[in-house]
Amino acid sequence: MKRLGIYIHIPFCVQKCLYCDFCSFPRTESSTVERYVERLSQEIEKMSGAAREYTVDTVYFGGGTPTLIPTADFERIFSALGKGYTIDESAEITCECNPATAELEKLTALRTLGVNRLSIGLQSANDEELRSLGRIHSFSDFADTYRAARAAGFDNISADLMYGIPKQTRGSLADTIGKLCALDPEHISLYGLKIEEGTPFGRMRDSLPLPDEDEEYQMYLDSCEQLLDRGYYKYEISNFAHKGYESKHNMKYWQGDSYIGFGVSAHSYFEGERYARSRDMKGYLDGIDITSERKKISLEEKKTELVMLGMRLSRGIVYEEYEKKVGEDFLSVYRDRLEKYARDGYVVIGERSTAFTDKGFLVSNYILSDILDFRE
């Protein structure tokens, strides 16, 4: 059977962080959460017929902060999944979690339901930096949640970090990575701060005490080296893991594989079509099928997407896989455009694949825009 990923959006949180542009709703009434889960479960069941020829091998609960909803709501969602979908026995089932939002009892219940991977949002181990981001937890809170997750039986834990944030230095970032590595999670994500319009940070852009571009550049290179020294290899531009603990769900996005998103604002790529739900919470709760975008992906668009997403991976574009998916020899199309970047040390053109170097990742958007220009 064909393989399928499922993304489930839980858009509730305690408080919006100052940089957050995700679709999330703080301090939501319990009655609204209950209605949302009911609507979500109906949506999952309704789509099951279209997915009957697929085996689900990844499920991802994202947010928001999914661990805020009651255990009974998770049970309702898992029941909806179990009714209409073929779930692989070894499926990777991930739940995002923020520190201090889930104690041992909740985490044990999630593990019993089948969640086998936990993704905890740390961002920084420096409490002053956390406050500058508008986070509501401390590093101590993270450590408590992490230990509770281990006690609940989780043997696959990921932690999110950010670099280029207010008040951060190369030294404080190295200290954060050192403290996190001492706990030894299986997976670490490291994202550069993006200032989004419409967020508090967007309005504060000119007054934020941010590292300059050169320092941010060095932060990334330092972090890649430090993480490698601690046994984490970089398999994607922002993701590091012990061998065998790469995020199977996120790999679907980067490899152009099929996934269905459920919930307000959720995105999908299914049966060659991309579509997204609206952010309209009221419409969603009222059962209105609001799709803000829907587009059939042409072969030319698929080629472009595979290059843009595939080059995010440290292994880059594997020629055999690329040709199998789109019927085109990668090097015959792109070699001439890539060679100048290879000469300057930004790209490695190998016998089986082409990939960015560490410094190439930092200017990847520019390089990809240049080499893909002819397809636009």
Side-chain angles (χ1 to χ4, degrees), residues 71-309:
T71 299
D73 287 338
F74 276 104
E75 292 172 349
R76 176 74 178 89
I77 295 168
F78 272 97
S79 175
L81 288 170
K83 287 179 181 177
Y85 298 81
T86 302
I87 311 292
D88 193 294
E89 289 184 0
S90 60
E92 175 194 85
I93 303 178
T94 304
C95 184
E96 291 184 348
C97 170
N98 276 324
T101 65
E103 297 181 348
L104 178 58
E105 182 180 3
K106 167 65 75 65
L107 294 172
T108 301
L110 290 177
R111 189 69 191 88
T112 300
L113 282 170
V115 177
N116 51 29
R117 183 174 184 270
L118 200 67
S119 178
I120 311 174
L122 170 57
Q123 315 314 343
S124 172
N126 183 297
D127 288 350
E128 185 179 5
E129 292 172 7
L130 288 171
R131 286 190 291 271
S132 77
L133 293 171
R135 303 289 289 180
I136 62 171
H137 66 85
S138 65
F139 179 66
S140 177
D141 292 329
F142 169 84
D144 288 345
T145 300
Y146 182 91
R147 285 190 287 266
R150 290 297 194 205
F154 283 94
D155 56 10
N156 190 354
I157 298 177
S158 178
D160 288 350
L161 296 178
M162 297 179 73
Y163 70 96
I165 63 180
K167 303 183 180 181
Q168 191 179 57
T169 65
R170 288 171 63 185
S172 70
L173 176 57
D175 181 66
T176 282
I177 292 175
K179 288 178 177 176
L180 177 58
C181 289
L183 292 171
D184 199 29
E186 284 70 28
H187 185 283
I188 295 174
S189 296
L190 177 68
Y191 300 109
L193 173 66
K194 288 183 65 178
I195 307 295
E196 304 283 3
E197 295 297 329
T199 64
F201 269 10
R203 295 186 288 274
M204 299 160 58
R205 183 190 302 268
D206 295 336
S207 62
L208 290 172
L210 300 173
D212 62 32
E213 286 187 6
D214 289 341
E215 189 171 16
E216 191 172 337
Y217 177 92
Q218 198 59 50
M219 282 178 174
Y220 179 78
L221 294 180
D222 289 349
S223 299
C224 291
E225 183 177 351
Q226 184 180 1
L227 287 165
L228 182 61
D229 287 345
R230 299 299 293 263
Y232 296 89
Y233 89 100
K234 182 177 65 183
Y235 70 97
E236 191 267 347
I237 186 171
S238 299
N239 287 275
F240 306 76
H242 291 322
K243 289 289 185 179
Y245 288 94
E246 304 85 355
S247 170
K248 295 177 182 177
H249 183 80
N250 286 339
M251 285 294 290
K252 289 186 179 293
Y253 302 149
W254 303 319
Q255 293 179 312
D257 296 334
S258 298
Y259 60 92
I260 299 176
F262 296 108
V264 65
S265 84
H267 289 245
S268 303
Y269 177 53
F270 185 64
E271 297 288 300
E273 187 175 62
R274 290 199 184 280
Y275 56 95
R277 292 286 188 190
S278 163
R279 287 189 169 210
D280 179 5
M281 174 64 92
K282 183 179 184 304
Y284 187 82
L285 293 177
D286 289 342
I288 301 172
D289 184 7
I290 303 174
T291 303
S292 59
E293 308 165 23
R294 186 177 288 273
K295 185 177 183 180
K296 196 75 174 177
I297 303 301
S298 68
L299 180 58
E300 282 300 303
E301 288 170 324
K302 185 173 183 179
K303 291 174 182 178
T304 297
E305 287 188 358
L306 284 175
V307 174
M308 289 184 66
L309 296 171

